[in-house]
Amino acid sequence: MKKFYENEFENFLVCTDEKKVLFEEILKEIKNREVSSMLDLGAGNGFLSVPLSKQVDRYVAVEKSTYFAKKLDKLNIEVVKKNFPFKIKEKFDMVLISHSLPKKNYKRFIKSAFDTVEKGGCLLIINGERKNSDWVKLLKKIGEGDEFVRDHLSESLKLLGKVDTRKVKTRVCGKNKQDLLHALSFVFSDGDKKLKKKFLSHKEEVVTFLSKYETKNEVLFPFYHLFTIIKKDI
């Protein structure tokens, strides 16, 4: 049975070009680095998993959601239904963490992920850009901060090796500001009912803020993603 989070997540994907853009950018890394095997930690519903699995010789998904794990299995994706981290003996050319890095105990998560990277391979982490982004400006406007300090993440990654980063832009769209309000409520809440309610309590402020993103036919809100890559030495 589909739970609240899975339903909110799939509704959000309808409103964004995120998966299409991220796939194209991940594909660039696969080709440039000649990746033949991939471990995807927090694979989700298959929007990225299916096309990515066709680009490598070996693809393994790890997914804690029973609903998404069953969906991946039906799509003929090799999936491990577990909550990472756990011991994985196999090594991969690329380990992907796309918007699935936990806010708590993330250091252990990253260390365990890097342990599964083959020598000469890489760990690719994709998360939201927080510094001076439109999203941060909106959060400040409504008086809500971001608890996850990315500077601390950066310091943790440097301990593993050379860190390369680049920005990727995607957009969330709605036919009107109300549609966009509900789409953005998922970004804020990550599928948590209480947090969604909290975000929607700022409805008037958010809708006013979104006015500057209106076009003739829709409302477009930009999001920036950080691609962070750490290569494992040979």
Side-chain angles (χ1 to χ4, degrees), residues 56-95:
V56 293
D57 296 330
R58 175 144 175 76
Y59 175 91
V60 179
V62 173
E63 177 54 52
K64 65 181 180 180
S65 163
T66 300
Y67 173 77
F68 284 156
K70 287 181 178 179
K71 195 168 186 178
L72 291 169
D73 186 57
K74 288 179 181 179
L75 293 168
N76 295 318
I77 298 293
E78 182 177 343
V79 56
V80 180
K81 198 281 174 187
K82 278 189 177 182
N83 192 5
F84 193 80
F86 56 88
K87 185 67 175 178
I88 298 176
K89 294 182 179 180
E90 191 174 353
K91 305 294 182 183
F92 298 83
D93 294 336
M94 177 180 283
V95 175

Side-chain angles (χ1 to χ4, degrees), residues 19-174:
K19 294 301 180 184
K20 176 179 180 295
V21 174
L22 294 188
F23 169 70
E24 293 171 351
E25 295 299 325
I26 295 170
L27 183 57
K28 290 179 185 178
E29 298 295 342
I30 289 174
K31 290 182 176 180
N32 290 339
R33 298 172 185 277
E34 299 182 342
V35 171
S36 62
S37 60
M38 174 182 286
L39 176 67
D40 189 351
L41 301 176
N45 67 348
F47 271 49
L48 272 178
S49 306
V50 174
L52 285 177
S53 67
K54 295 176 180 178
Q55 302 300 322
V56 293
D57 296 330
R58 175 144 175 76
Y59 175 91
V60 179
V62 173
E63 177 54 52
K64 65 181 180 180
S65 163
T66 300
Y67 173 77
F68 284 156
K70 287 181 178 179
K71 195 168 186 178
L72 291 169
D73 186 57
K74 288 179 181 179
L75 293 168
N76 295 318
I77 298 293
E78 182 177 343
V79 56
V80 180
K81 198 281 174 187
K82 278 189 177 182
N83 192 5
F84 193 80
F86 56 88
K87 185 67 175 178
I88 298 176
K89 294 182 179 180
E90 191 174 353
K91 305 294 182 183
F92 298 83
D93 294 336
M94 177 180 283
V95 175
L96 174 65
I97 304 173
S98 179
H99 292 285
S100 55
L101 189 64
K103 293 183 178 181
K104 294 181 179 180
N105 300 319
Y106 65 87
K107 291 182 180 180
R108 178 168 172 256
F109 191 101
I110 291 171
K111 174 64 168 58
S112 297
F114 198 65
D115 285 344
T116 64
V117 176
E118 185 67 76
K119 289 182 179 179
C122 68
L123 172 64
L124 170 56
I125 301 175
I126 305 173
N127 51 37
E129 166 60 77
R130 294 295 191 257
K131 292 183 178 179
N132 302 317
S133 66
D134 296 74
W135 178 243
V136 168
K137 290 175 183 177
L138 172 56
L139 292 181
K140 288 181 179 179
K141 185 70 176 179
I142 63 176
E144 299 290 349
D146 184 3
E147 296 178 359
F148 193 19
V149 182
R150 301 291 167 176
D151 289 341
H152 293 170
L153 171 61
S154 178
E155 291 303 315
S156 298
L157 296 178
K158 288 177 182 177
L159 297 175
L160 299 176
K162 185 176 180 293
V163 178
D164 292 316
T165 60
R166 62 186 178 92
K167 279 186 185 180
V168 172
K169 180 181 178 181
T170 61
R171 300 184 301 179
V172 179
C173 66

